Amino acid sequence: MSQHRQTRIQRRNSEAILEAALEVFSQQGFRGATLDQIAEVAGLSKPNLLYYFPSKEAIHVAVLSRLLDVWLDPLRAMNPDGEPVAEILGYVRRKLELSRDFPRESRLFANEILQGAPRMRAVIEGELRPLVMDKAAVLTRWMDEGRIARLHPVHLIFSIWALTQHYADFDVQVRAVLEGEDPYPAAAGYLEVLFRKLLAV
Amino acid sequence: MSQHRQTRIQRRNSEAILEAALEVFSQQGFRGATLDQIAEVAGLSKPNLLYYFPSKEAIHVAVLSRLLDVWLDPLRAMNPDGEPVAEILGYVRRKLELSRDFPRESRLFANEILQGAPRMRAVIEGELRPLVMDKAAVLTRWMDEGRIARLHPVHLIFSIWALTQHYADFDVQVRAVLEGEDPYPAAAGYLEVLFRKLLAV
DNA sequence: GGCCGGTTTGACCATCCGGTCAGCTTTGGT
DNA sequence: ACCAAAGCTGACCGGATGGTCAAACCGGCC
């Protein structure tokens, strides 16, 4: 029917596989995950997985590439024509919501970078770097216009990533220290204060 | 000869194994690492590894427990009787130096937390949490005395961890964006400015 | 009902990997 | 020099795991 002739069954099963793979890969890492586990979570048999994807590696790559777009959307959404502090705080808030609502995605991404990004280096250099450079230029312009404090723009972006992703990636540690208390309400308030002070001219 | 009768050979080989295990575990994760790889890096045979340690798991635990002390030392070194801003900036600086000089340790730790800390949860709850609580109390006192801005003390500590460890754990990403430029000089300056602004009353 | 392409699976294979063991070599004390 | 203990290793085992395949199954169309 459509240009990429994909049946209902294909769409449903591919989706189930990618969802299950995200669950298992983000918990166990690439090497720690087994096709049997993914098949079990997806409710399919192992050979059936390999009917839809040629290999374990292909599943991993598919999950990662689907992930990256969602992951970069908040940065893309930072509007060069908006009010600087509001735009940056909005970016921080959206990124923190991503950590809260999609911790598996965050951990899978962290895992991949930790291992040296063997399957993503090309994408990082080809897509992430230009985007960061573009947004860094916007930040620099805002600094030149005196609308936010002068800071290293790229490290400013790094600090947003670090502070927000920490709550997803180190969730176990955070909750252990906080004795299980939900960290997100306090984190949202803390980060807003932090960036307001940091950006004030 | 000594109370823990350990020969020169034992000390040398145990050391070589732990060093090799750190190298391999931090790059590949627990499941991704193999005894053969560790043996190769250590310059020993696989059965010889298992002459010194009873299992792969035991090696991993040994590496992790040696790690934790070094990792928490900078926080322990924060002096309750010192000048607040200097103490906190000193902590940030030491933690960033740890990321720069011991990135493998940072990544191994990150890996363990990412997987849900299966082999460290007890230590985190029994050692890290009390230490954080203790230092959080010191920070709260400084805030009460009006010597630093009032902030959530535990999230303040989290933000120090997040911002400093990011440079070790996401090294590949950081360097990809910066086109290979050494991030540490700029990071040190950026973080000092950030925390000075944040802590100013 | 019968056919056909897409879908599913049980059984199987080859490899990897943690761990064992019997016996060899080296070391150090006397 | 001798010997007992410490240190070391090649060969092997058993289970896990990614991947294959021939055969069975199933749903829509004539």
Side-chain angles (χ1 to χ4, degrees):
Chain A
M1 174 173 278
S2 61
Q3 42 271 62
H4 40 42
R5 50 191 69 77
Q6 216 189 181
T7 68
R8 241 188 344 273
I9 292 179
Q10 272 171 16
R11 207 179 303 274
R12 176 168 50 80
N13 284 352
S14 297
E15 184 52 42
I17 291 169
L18 291 177
E19 156 65 26
L22 172 62
E23 178 74 23
V24 177
F25 280 139
S26 69
Q27 268 177 38
Q28 319 272 350
F30 179 74
R31 201 88 184 321
T34 72
L35 288 177
D36 285 294
Q37 285 174 64
I38 298 174
E40 163 126 22
V41 173
L44 299 171
S45 69
K46 181 173 65 170
N48 208 4
L49 252 62
L50 295 163
Y51 172 75
Y52 288 99
F53 291 90
S55 68
K56 181 185 179 182
E57 172 120 10
I59 298 177
H60 193 238
V61 170
V63 175
L64 280 177
S65 46
R66 246 188 15 156
L67 167 62
L68 196 73
D69 272 340
V70 180
W71 218 237
L72 292 184
D73 266 345
L75 184 53
R76 288 203 192 87
M78 204 173 72
N79 179 8
D81 302 320
E83 201 286 305
V85 173
E87 289 298 325
I88 294 169
L89 288 180
Y91 176 43
V92 171
R93 186 178 45 74
R94 277 189 294 276
K95 203 76 177 56
L96 187 63
E97 284 167 0
L98 232 45
S99 278
R100 185 191 61 198
D101 299 335
F102 304 99
R104 297 177 308 176
E105 281 81 349
S106 185
R107 283 194 276 266
L108 181 65
F109 190 79
N111 232 309
E112 176 67 10
I113 304 290
L114 260 182
Q115 318 288 324
R119 288 167 250 274
M120 285 197 88
R121 192 168 314 217
V123 189
I124 285 176
E125 289 176 4
E127 211 175 321
L128 185 137
R129 180 161 68 190
L131 179 61
V132 170
M133 287 315 184
D134 179 49
K135 295 303 182 182
V138 173
L139 292 170
T140 301
R141 203 197 72 220
W142 286 341
M143 293 171 197
D144 290 342
E145 294 170 359
R147 304 174 76 185
I148 56 174
R150 181 162 302 281
L151 299 160
H152 193 305
V154 174
H155 286 268
L156 174 57
I157 293 173
F158 287 162
S159 64
I160 295 172
W161 292 348
L163 289 166
T164 54
Q165 292 176 8
H166 186 82
Y167 289 98
D169 302 343
F170 289 76
D171 182 76
V172 172
Q173 193 186 46
V174 166
R175 287 181 197 271
V177 171
L178 292 173
E179 292 184 282
E181 177 200 336
D182 178 9
Y184 283 101
Y190 177 81
L191 292 185
E192 180 173 342
V193 171
L194 186 154
F195 281 102
R196 274 196 193 285
K197 287 195 163 206
L198 178 62
L199 296 170
V201 284
Chain B
M1 172 173 282
S2 60
Q3 43 269 61
H4 42 41
R5 47 191 71 76
Q6 216 188 184
T7 68
R8 238 185 349 268
I9 291 178
Q10 273 172 15
R11 209 180 302 275
R12 176 168 49 82
N13 284 352
S14 297
E15 185 50 43
I17 292 169
L18 291 176
E19 156 64 25
L22 172 63
E23 179 74 22
V24 178
F25 280 139
S26 69
Q27 268 178 36
Q28 319 273 349
F30 178 74
R31 202 88 185 321
T34 73
L35 288 178
D36 286 294
Q37 285 175 64
I38 298 173
E40 163 126 20
V41 173
L44 299 172
S45 69
K46 181 172 66 168
N48 208 6
L49 253 63
L50 295 162
Y51 173 76
Y52 288 99
F53 292 89
S55 68
K56 181 185 180 183
E57 173 121 10
I59 298 178
H60 193 238
V61 170
V63 176
L64 280 177
S65 46
R66 243 182 24 150
L67 167 63
L68 197 72
D69 273 339
V70 179
W71 217 237
L72 292 184
D73 266 345
L75 184 52
R76 288 204 191 87
M78 203 173 71
N79 179 9
D81 303 319
E83 202 285 308
V85 173
E87 289 298 326
I88 295 169
L89 288 181
Y91 176 42
V92 171
R93 188 178 44 74
R94 277 190 294 274
K95 203 76 176 56
L96 187 63
E97 285 167 0
L98 232 44
S99 277
R100 186 192 59 197
D101 300 334
F102 303 99
R104 298 178 307 175
E105 281 82 349
S106 185
R107 283 193 277 266
L108 182 65
F109 190 80
N111 232 311
E112 176 68 9
I113 304 291
L114 259 183
Q115 317 289 323
R119 288 167 250 274
M120 286 196 87
R121 194 171 311 221
V123 188
I124 286 176
E125 289 174 4
E127 210 175 321
L128 185 137
R129 180 162 68 192
L131 178 61
V132 170
M133 287 316 185
D134 179 49
K135 295 304 182 182
V138 173
L139 292 170
T140 302
R141 203 196 73 219
W142 286 342
M143 293 170 196
D144 290 343
E145 294 169 0
R147 304 174 75 185
I148 56 174
R150 181 163 300 282
L151 298 161
H152 193 305
V154 174
H155 285 268
L156 174 57
I157 293 173
F158 287 161
S159 64
I160 295 173
W161 292 348
L163 288 166
T164 55
Q165 292 175 10
H166 186 81
Y167 289 98
D169 301 343
F170 289 75
D171 183 74
V172 173
Q173 193 186 46
V174 166
R175 287 182 196 270
V177 171
L178 292 173
E179 292 183 282
E181 177 199 337
D182 177 11
Y184 284 101
Y190 177 82
L191 293 185
E192 180 174 343
V193 170
L194 187 154
F195 281 102
R196 276 197 193 284
K197 286 194 164 206
L198 179 62
L199 297 170
V201 284

